[in-house]
Amino acid sequence: MKDIRFDNVTKSFPTRSGTPFVAIRDVSLAVAEREFVAVVGPSGSGKTTLMRMAAGLDHPSEGSVRVGGREVTAPGPDRAVVFQQFALFPWKTVRENIAFGLRCKGVPRARQDEIVAHYLKLMSMEGTEDRFPHQLSGGMQQRVAIARSYAIEPDVLLMDEPFGALDAQTRTVMQEELVRLTRKEPRTVLFITHAVDEAVYLADRVVVLARDPGRLREIIDIRPTREAEDWDSRPIDQVMDLASFTHLRTQVWRLLRDQIRPDD
Amino acid sequence: MHGLPQAEPTNATIRPGAAARRSPGWRISRRVRIGLASLIGTFALWWLLTDITGVIGPHRFPAPAEFWAAFVQIAIDGYAGGTLITQAWYSTRLVIMGFLVAIATGVPLGLLMGVSHRAEALLNPAFLLVRPIPPLAWIPLAIVWLGLGDAAKILVIWFAAFVPSVINTWTGVRGVDRTLIAAARVHGAGELRLLWEVIIPGSLPMMFTGLRLSLQASWTTLVAAELVGAFFGLGRVLDAAYRDINPPMIAVAMLAVGVLGALTTRLVAVAERRLIPWRS
Ligand SMILES: Nc1ncnc2c1ncn2[C@@H]1O[C@H](COP(=O)(O)OP(=O)(O)OP(=O)(O)O)[C@@H](O)[C@H]1O
Ligand SMILES: [Mg+2]
């Protein structure tokens, strides 16, 4: 397993006017091995940008991003990404999409089929393997994207609002499933979301970002409470009714609300 | 349980293609009907303007009967050195050869320019200079170099059809969704797999736009080149009929070019549908 370290990371983008636009300023954050960190923040606070740098799709303007102690220079299959816009290959069927990373790794065909079947079942999508993405609902597309990333069993999972397009019911199922999966086979996870509930339920720690420019606002430790009250062995709706849960959720929510200005 | 309607499993109710298979069939029959109506209407109008009212005189445009006579003449006895079939085949063969040479060179070059900024920087200036030259302007040079035979025709078609293939393939590659490229990379794809499984399929729709334009350019240029100088072909028939002041034969040759152009375009469309099955 590998950890992720952002050290004094600043990311600016060039603009037409010449003065660079600062998307992220001086963020330092360490995600330990097998730790699940959720990032919440208002739109435009640089969540996606942060994730792209960990993936090697963008590079910090200042500071460094390291995964497993090594400076990130390019994308690699040790860090699978679930994109905000699914990014399924439109010309590949569900089966081919899920198996894509496995083929890249040179996994034998028979084993690929097993893994694909396993995830189709897990995502309750049996029978859709020969469909193209455009023949699926948004929620189904998102599940395929998640399966494609899980399938390669990466050391680090980078997920950008992976449940954003799911209906409430599927979303709950997927959240429970993610808890089950990541507790059974813990991975280093950087999980981006808009939903405070989701962040508190899933994560060991919740990172709250502020915006203009995007920066670190607060980190809230969830894990001690979760372990003390044994959230993982309870169903999600029960957890969300616990006083300890609502307390943490309110705490995160306040930090977010404070930055919503009148012009929003 | 009885009495309750059994819900079918979703994958059986929305099996892909089941719905798609029905609607085009219905659409084609409707299209065929409209197409037939349009053809009959055109024919009636033609007949009306020539034979019935005489608005268009026989020296300008043939009446249906004259057209038919010219068609029979070239189909059976031949005209300008060959029957309709030989002349048409002669032109079609050159178009196909020129077109294939053009796309076999143009598509890879477009891919290269789309993928490599260095190749683009190197080739684009030359391209910008050559592109505005109308393809037909190459005909004299081609004839000077290679004479009136097949080689000159293929060269001219190549000049004409090459540019649309390159430009559209190149644009297609540039237009491939960046997130898909990122998705391929983060799941471990190397350069070759990226090209073959993401960039090429992603640019296929634009590539086919290019192929259609290339094919059209191939016919235009070939007919023009044959008009300028050729031993056989539909352009040669047009030229001979013009010299003989034979409007019915001109019309027959024009229609033949139209029909062949439509048929070859259809072939490209069929290939497109086969190669891009994921487009709804
Ligand atoms: N390639 C780019 N060029 C210029 N500006 C960019 C680029 N990518 C992101 N930005 C800017 O950086 C800021 C942060 O963007 P980012 O996509 O990381 O936000 P986010 O927190 O993921 O927002 P959302 O919740 O809406 O997805 C935004 O203001 C955005 O406009
Ligand atoms: Mg985002």
Side-chain angles (χ1 to χ4, degrees):
Chain A
M1 284 303 137
K2 293 177 177 174
D3 67 333
I4 312 172
R5 285 189 66 96
F6 295 88
D7 285 308
N8 305 99
V9 169
T10 295
K11 174 70 187 175
S12 45
F13 291 103
T15 59
R16 272 174 206 276
S17 68
T19 44
F21 173 79
V22 181
I24 289 176
R25 174 168 294 162
D26 199 25
V27 168
S28 295
L29 171 69
V31 184
E33 279 179 41
R34 298 169 213 276
E35 189 186 20
F36 194 126
V37 166
V39 179
V40 297
S43 187
S45 56
K47 305 183 293 294
T48 299
T49 307
L50 212 57
M51 193 210 67
R52 287 177 59 87
M53 287 190 290
L57 296 168
D58 256 329
H59 303 286
S61 313
E62 284 166 47
S64 75
V65 180
R66 277 173 289 169
V67 170
R70 290 183 51 182
E71 185 90 25
V72 173
T73 52
D78 58 331
R79 288 155 283 136
V81 181
V82 179
F83 291 89
Q84 201 169 357
Q85 318 87 333
F86 321 145
L88 295 177
F89 304 115
W91 41 87
K92 289 183 184 290
T93 61
V94 167
R95 181 207 313 278
E96 292 165 344
N97 266 288
I98 299 177
F100 183 80
L102 300 170
R103 288 183 45 234
C104 293
K105 279 204 332 194
V107 174
R109 181 64 210 247
R111 181 82 191 111
Q112 284 177 30
D113 290 345
E114 276 172 35
I115 297 173
V116 169
H118 167 76
Y119 283 106
L120 284 170
K121 185 150 185 289
L122 195 74
M123 309 272 167
S124 29
M125 288 195 51
E126 296 110 316
T128 61
E129 46 270 65
D130 294 322
R131 289 203 215 164
F132 287 109
H134 79 265
Q135 296 168 316
L136 303 175
S137 72
M140 290 161 113
Q141 291 182 27
Q142 201 150 23
R143 280 179 271 164
V144 175
I146 294 168
R148 178 178 63 182
S149 293
Y150 280 7
I152 56 173
E153 306 190 339
D155 292 330
V156 172
L157 253 178
L158 305 166
M159 305 176 90
D160 194 357
E161 302 196 30
F163 303 151
L166 301 183
D167 61 88
Q169 222 172 336
T170 318
R171 194 181 175 112
T172 309
V173 172
M174 295 299 298
Q175 286 166 345
E176 280 185 317
E177 200 49 59
L178 186 59
V179 164
R180 209 182 57 77
L181 243 133
T182 49
R183 307 290 187 258
K184 198 175 76 182
E185 298 169 58
R187 303 185 186 289
T188 311
V189 184
L190 191 65
F191 185 97
I192 290 163
T193 177
H194 266 117
V196 176
D197 279 5
E198 184 170 274
V200 174
Y201 173 70
L202 291 171
D204 294 319
R205 286 189 296 154
V206 174
V207 173
V208 183
L209 296 184
R211 76 165 180 208
D212 301 322
R215 60 197 188 280
L216 207 77
R217 159 109 204 199
E218 188 87 53
I219 299 179
I220 293 162
D221 218 348
I222 310 288
R223 192 171 182 170
T225 317
R226 193 184 61 225
E227 286 179 348
E229 305 214 355
D230 198 18
W231 291 2
D232 287 355
S233 58
R234 302 175 190 226
I236 184 166
D237 49 328
Q238 237 183 60
V239 173
M240 289 192 174
D241 282 339
L242 294 173
S244 59
F245 181 91
T246 45
H247 174 75
L248 286 166
R249 184 182 57 190
T250 312
Q251 203 182 335
V252 175
W253 181 236
R254 286 222 175 95
L255 287 163
L256 276 175
R257 195 190 49 190
D258 288 353
Q259 15 175 331
I260 297 174
R261 295 155 315 174
D263 59 309
D264 280 331
Chain B
M1 266 287 255
H2 37 259
L4 281 177
Q6 281 275 248
E8 278 194 56
T10 42
N11 58 331
T13 34
I14 19 171
R15 191 181 302 126
R21 222 175 299 130
R22 276 190 50 192
S23 70
W26 177 82
R27 242 182 32 227
I28 281 169
S29 77
R30 185 187 158 85
R31 272 173 58 179
V32 166
R33 264 186 292 149
I34 295 176
L36 268 179
S38 148
L39 279 180
I40 291 169
T42 313
F43 185 81
L45 191 69
W46 176 25
W47 200 27
L48 192 75
L49 290 177
T50 52
D51 275 344
I52 310 258
T53 61
V55 172
I56 300 177
H59 299 297
R60 299 225 175 93
F61 200 79
E66 296 167 302
F67 178 86
W68 179 249
F71 175 74
V72 170
Q73 183 200 343
I74 188 173
I76 294 168
D77 305 332
Y79 187 81
T83 60
L84 183 59
I85 295 287
T86 8
Q87 304 281 26
W89 170 241
Y90 195 82
S91 293
T92 310
R93 193 179 54 102
L94 284 179
V95 162
I96 290 174
M97 288 201 291
F99 175 70
L100 289 181
V101 173
I103 65 177
T105 48
V107 170
L109 191 73
L111 283 174
L112 184 68
M113 285 172 79
V115 173
S116 151
H117 286 272
R118 204 177 302 167
E120 187 196 336
L122 188 72
L123 296 168
N124 201 24
F127 224 72
L128 286 177
L129 199 70
V130 175
R131 230 176 105 183
I133 302 175
L136 303 187
W138 290 99
I139 293 174
L141 196 60
I143 292 178
V144 168
W145 283 349
L146 297 168
L148 297 181
D150 295 355
K153 306 289 183 301
I154 293 175
L155 184 69
V156 188
I157 294 176
W158 182 70
F159 278 133
F162 177 70
V163 173
S165 319
V166 177
I167 305 269
N168 285 281
T169 305
W170 178 20
T171 315
V173 173
R174 281 296 151 87
V176 174
D177 185 351
R178 309 311 296 172
T179 320
L180 290 183
I181 293 175
R185 286 232 161 90
V186 299
H187 290 94
E191 295 302 312
L192 203 63
R193 191 184 294 274
L194 187 69
L195 180 72
W196 193 245
E197 295 189 27
V198 180
I199 291 176
I200 291 180
S203 41
L204 267 184
M206 267 313 271
M207 240 183 250
F208 268 99
T209 304
L211 295 198
R212 269 194 301 272
L213 291 171
S214 287
L215 185 62
Q216 217 174 323
S218 300
W219 275 109
T220 312
T221 333
L222 177 72
V223 172
E226 286 178 346
L227 274 171
V228 172
F231 301 120
F232 295 106
L234 291 169
R236 167 88 185 100
V237 173
L238 274 172
D239 185 49
Y242 151 74
R243 286 173 204 281
D244 293 349
I245 318 181
N246 185 348
M249 196 56 80
I250 292 177
V252 169
M254 282 171 69
L255 191 70
V257 172
V259 167
L260 289 172
L263 285 178
T264 43
T265 307
R266 185 98 201 115
L267 279 182
V268 173
V270 168
E272 180 172 12
R273 215 166 320 126
R274 286 225 138 174
L275 282 169
I276 315 186
W278 61 87
R279 278 220 292 200
S280 42

